[in-house]
CSV table of all heavy atoms in Angstrom, one decimal:
chain,number,residue,atom,x,y,z
A,1,SER,N,220.3,93.3,-35.1
A,1,SER,CA,219.0,92.9,-35.6
A,1,SER,C,218.3,94.1,-36.3
A,1,SER,O,217.6,94.0,-37.4
A,1,SER,CB,218.2,92.3,-34.5
A,1,SER,OG,218.6,91.2,-34.0
A,2,LEU,N,218.4,95.2,-35.6
A,2,LEU,CA,217.7,96.4,-36.2
A,2,LEU,C,218.4,96.8,-37.6
A,2,LEU,O,217.7,97.2,-38.6
A,2,LEU,CB,217.9,97.6,-35.2
A,2,LEU,CG,217.0,97.6,-34.0
A,2,LEU,CD1,217.4,98.7,-33.0
A,2,LEU,CD2,215.5,97.6,-34.4
A,3,ASP,N,219.7,96.6,-37.7
A,3,ASP,CA,220.4,96.9,-38.8
A,3,ASP,C,219.9,95.9,-40.0
A,3,ASP,O,219.7,96.3,-41.1
A,3,ASP,CB,221.9,96.7,-38.7
A,3,ASP,CG,222.6,97.0,-39.8
A,3,ASP,OD1,222.3,98.0,-40.6
A,3,ASP,OD2,223.8,96.5,-40.1
A,4,ARG,N,219.7,94.7,-39.7
A,4,ARG,CA,219.4,93.6,-40.6
A,4,ARG,C,218.0,93.9,-41.2
A,4,ARG,O,217.7,93.6,-42.4
A,4,ARG,CB,219.4,92.3,-39.9
A,4,ARG,CG,220.9,91.7,-39.7
A,4,ARG,CD,220.9,90.5,-38.9
A,4,ARG,NE,220.1,89.4,-39.5
A,4,ARG,CZ,219.9,88.2,-39.0
A,4,ARG,NH1,220.1,88.1,-37.7
A,4,ARG,NH2,219.2,87.3,-39.6
A,5,VAL,N,217.0,94.4,-40.4
A,5,VAL,CA,215.7,94.7,-41.0
A,5,VAL,C,215.6,96.0,-41.7
A,5,VAL,O,214.6,96.4,-42.3
A,5,VAL,CB,214.7,94.7,-39.9
A,5,VAL,CG1,214.6,93.2,-39.2
A,5,VAL,CG2,214.7,95.7,-38.9
A,6,GLY,N,216.6,96.9,-41.6
A,6,GLY,CA,216.7,98.1,-42.3
A,6,GLY,C,216.4,99.4,-41.5
A,6,GLY,O,216.1,100.5,-42.0
A,7,ALA,N,216.4,99.2,-40.2
A,7,ALA,CA,216.1,100.4,-39.3
A,7,ALA,C,217.0,101.6,-39.5
A,7,ALA,O,216.7,102.8,-39.2
A,7,ALA,CB,216.1,99.9,-37.9
A,8,PHE,N,218.3,101.3,-39.9
A,8,PHE,CA,219.3,102.3,-40.1
A,8,PHE,C,219.4,102.8,-41.5
A,8,PHE,O,220.4,103.5,-41.8
A,8,PHE,CB,220.7,101.8,-39.4
A,8,PHE,CG,220.6,101.5,-38.0
A,8,PHE,CD1,221.1,100.3,-37.6
A,8,PHE,CD2,220.1,102.4,-37.1
A,8,PHE,CE1,221.0,99.9,-36.3
A,8,PHE,CE2,220.0,102.0,-35.7
A,8,PHE,CZ,220.5,100.7,-35.2
A,9,ALA,N,218.7,102.2,-42.4
A,9,ALA,CA,218.9,102.4,-43.8
A,9,ALA,C,218.9,103.9,-44.2
A,9,ALA,O,219.6,104.3,-45.1
A,9,ALA,CB,217.9,101.7,-44.6
A,10,SER,N,218.1,104.7,-43.4
A,10,SER,CA,217.8,106.1,-43.7
A,10,SER,C,219.0,107.0,-43.3
A,10,SER,O,219.1,108.1,-43.7
A,10,SER,CB,216.6,106.6,-43.1
A,10,SER,OG,216.6,106.5,-41.7
A,11,ILE,N,219.9,106.4,-42.5
A,11,ILE,CA,221.0,107.2,-42.0
A,11,ILE,C,222.4,106.7,-42.4
A,11,ILE,O,223.4,107.1,-42.0
A,11,ILE,CB,221.0,107.4,-40.4
A,11,ILE,CG1,221.0,106.1,-39.7
A,11,ILE,CG2,219.7,108.3,-40.0
A,11,ILE,CD1,221.2,106.3,-38.2
A,12,ILE,N,222.4,105.6,-43.2
A,12,ILE,CA,223.6,105.0,-43.8
A,12,ILE,C,223.7,105.2,-45.3
A,12,ILE,O,222.9,104.4,-46.0
A,12,ILE,CB,223.7,103.5,-43.4
A,12,ILE,CG1,223.7,103.2,-41.8
A,12,ILE,CG2,225.1,102.9,-43.9
A,12,ILE,CD1,223.8,101.8,-41.5
A,13,PRO,N,224.4,106.1,-45.8
A,13,PRO,CA,224.5,106.3,-47.3
A,13,PRO,C,224.7,105.0,-48.0
A,13,PRO,O,225.7,104.3,-47.5
A,13,PRO,CB,225.5,107.3,-47.4
A,13,PRO,CG,225.6,108.0,-46.1
A,13,PRO,CD,225.3,107.0,-45.1
A,14,GLY,N,224.0,104.8,-49.1
A,14,GLY,CA,224.3,103.6,-49.9
A,14,GLY,C,223.8,102.3,-49.3
A,14,GLY,O,224.0,101.2,-50.0
A,15,SER,N,223.0,102.4,-48.2
A,15,SER,CA,222.5,101.1,-47.6
A,15,SER,C,221.3,100.5,-48.4
A,15,SER,O,220.6,101.4,-49.1
A,15,SER,CB,222.1,101.5,-46.1
A,15,SER,OG,221.5,100.4,-45.5
A,16,VAL,N,221.2,99.3,-48.4
A,16,VAL,CA,219.9,98.7,-49.1
A,16,VAL,C,218.7,99.2,-48.4
A,16,VAL,O,218.6,99.1,-47.2
A,16,VAL,CB,220.0,97.1,-48.9
A,16,VAL,CG1,218.8,96.5,-49.5
A,16,VAL,CG2,221.3,96.6,-49.5
A,17,PRO,N,217.8,99.7,-49.2
A,17,PRO,CA,216.5,100.3,-48.6
A,17,PRO,C,215.7,99.3,-47.7
A,17,PRO,O,215.8,98.1,-48.0
A,17,PRO,CB,215.7,100.6,-49.9
A,17,PRO,CG,216.7,100.8,-51.0
A,17,PRO,CD,217.8,99.9,-50.6
A,18,ALA,N,215.1,99.8,-46.7
A,18,ALA,CA,214.4,98.9,-45.8
A,18,ALA,C,213.3,98.1,-46.5
A,18,ALA,O,212.9,97.0,-46.1
A,18,ALA,CB,213.8,99.7,-44.6
A,19,THR,N,212.8,98.6,-47.5
A,19,THR,CA,211.7,98.0,-48.3
A,19,THR,C,212.2,97.0,-49.4
A,19,THR,O,211.4,96.5,-50.1
A,19,THR,CB,210.7,99.0,-49.0
A,19,THR,OG1,211.6,99.9,-49.8
A,19,THR,CG2,210.0,99.9,-47.9
A,20,SER,N,213.6,96.9,-49.6
A,20,SER,CA,214.1,96.0,-50.6
A,20,SER,C,213.9,94.6,-50.4
A,20,SER,O,213.9,94.2,-49.2
A,20,SER,CB,215.6,96.3,-50.7
A,20,SER,OG,216.1,95.3,-51.6
A,21,GLU,N,213.6,93.8,-51.4
A,21,GLU,CA,213.4,92.4,-51.3
A,21,GLU,C,214.6,91.7,-50.7
A,21,GLU,O,214.6,90.6,-50.1
A,21,GLU,CB,213.1,91.8,-52.7
A,21,GLU,CG,212.7,90.3,-52.6
A,21,GLU,CD,212.3,89.8,-54.0
A,21,GLU,OE1,211.3,90.3,-54.5
A,21,GLU,OE2,213.0,88.9,-54.4
A,22,GLU,N,215.8,92.3,-50.8
A,22,GLU,CA,217.0,91.8,-50.3
A,22,GLU,C,217.0,91.6,-48.8
A,22,GLU,O,217.7,90.8,-48.2
A,22,GLU,CB,218.3,92.6,-50.7
A,22,GLU,CG,218.6,92.6,-52.2
A,22,GLU,CD,219.7,93.4,-52.5
A,22,GLU,OE1,220.7,93.5,-51.6
A,22,GLU,OE2,219.7,94.2,-53.4
A,23,ARG,N,216.2,92.4,-48.1
A,23,ARG,CA,216.1,92.4,-46.7
A,23,ARG,C,214.9,91.4,-46.2
A,23,ARG,O,214.8,91.2,-45.0
A,23,ARG,CB,215.8,93.7,-46.2
A,23,ARG,CG,217.0,94.7,-46.3
A,23,ARG,CD,216.8,95.9,-45.5
A,23,ARG,NE,217.9,96.9,-45.6
A,23,ARG,CZ,219.0,97.0,-45.0
A,23,ARG,NH1,219.3,95.9,-44.0
A,23,ARG,NH2,219.8,97.9,-45.1
A,24,ARG,N,214.2,90.9,-47.2
A,24,ARG,CA,213.0,90.1,-46.8
A,24,ARG,C,213.4,88.9,-45.8
A,24,ARG,O,212.6,88.7,-44.9
A,24,ARG,CB,212.2,89.6,-47.9
A,24,ARG,CG,210.8,89.1,-47.6
A,24,ARG,CD,210.1,88.7,-48.8
A,24,ARG,NE,209.8,89.8,-49.8
A,24,ARG,CZ,209.3,89.7,-51.0
A,24,ARG,NH1,209.2,88.6,-51.5
A,24,ARG,NH2,209.2,90.8,-51.7
A,25,ARG,N,214.4,88.2,-46.2
A,25,ARG,CA,214.8,87.1,-45.4
A,25,ARG,C,215.0,87.4,-44.0
A,25,ARG,O,214.4,86.8,-43.0
A,25,ARG,CB,216.0,86.4,-46.0
A,25,ARG,CG,216.4,85.1,-45.4
A,25,ARG,CD,217.7,84.5,-46.1
A,25,ARG,NE,217.3,84.3,-47.6
A,25,ARG,CZ,216.8,83.2,-48.0
A,25,ARG,NH1,216.6,82.1,-47.2
A,25,ARG,NH2,216.4,83.0,-49.3
A,26,ASP,N,215.8,88.4,-43.7
A,26,ASP,CA,216.0,88.9,-42.4
A,26,ASP,C,214.8,89.4,-41.7
A,26,ASP,O,214.5,89.2,-40.5
A,26,ASP,CB,217.1,89.9,-42.3
A,26,ASP,CG,218.5,89.4,-42.7
A,26,ASP,OD1,218.7,88.3,-42.3
A,26,ASP,OD2,219.4,90.1,-43.2
A,27,GLN,N,213.9,90.1,-42.4
A,27,GLN,CA,212.7,90.6,-41.9
A,27,GLN,C,211.8,89.5,-41.5
A,27,GLN,O,211.1,89.6,-40.4
A,27,GLN,CB,212.1,91.7,-42.8
A,27,GLN,CG,212.9,92.9,-43.0
A,27,GLN,CD,212.4,93.8,-44.1
A,27,GLN,OE1,211.6,93.4,-44.9
A,27,GLN,NE2,212.9,95.0,-44.2
A,28,ALA,N,211.7,88.5,-42.4
A,28,ALA,CA,210.8,87.4,-42.0
A,28,ALA,C,211.3,86.6,-40.7
A,28,ALA,O,210.4,86.2,-40.0
A,28,ALA,CB,210.7,86.4,-43.2
A,29,GLU,N,212.6,86.6,-40.7
A,29,GLU,CA,213.1,85.9,-39.5
A,29,GLU,C,213.0,86.7,-38.2
A,29,GLU,O,212.6,86.1,-37.1
A,29,GLU,CB,214.6,85.6,-39.7
A,29,GLU,CG,215.3,85.1,-38.6
A,29,GLU,CD,216.8,84.8,-38.7
A,29,GLU,OE1,217.4,84.9,-39.8
A,29,GLU,OE2,217.6,84.5,-37.7
A,30,LEU,N,213.1,88.0,-38.3
A,30,LEU,CA,213.2,88.9,-37.1
A,30,LEU,C,211.9,89.5,-36.7
A,30,LEU,O,211.7,90.0,-35.6
A,30,LEU,CB,214.3,89.9,-37.2
A,30,LEU,CG,215.8,89.3,-37.2
A,30,LEU,CD1,216.7,90.3,-37.8
A,30,LEU,CD2,216.1,88.7,-35.9
């Protein structure tokens, strides 16, 4: 769940940024 909302984005190279719209669906759910 933490991964889906972007909590690890800063320590995973190439990860989708936590503020990206791509993560909004998971963030809205969680």
Side-chain angles (χ1 to χ4, degrees):
S1 294
L2 290 169
D3 184 31
R4 287 170 61 191
V5 302
F8 301 128
S10 62
I11 61 172
I12 301 178
S15 178
V16 175
T19 54
S20 171
E21 190 177 295
E22 291 181 42
R23 292 195 183 272
R24 191 179 298 167
R25 186 176 300 271
D26 287 331
Q27 289 168 352
E29 177 184 346
L30 296 168

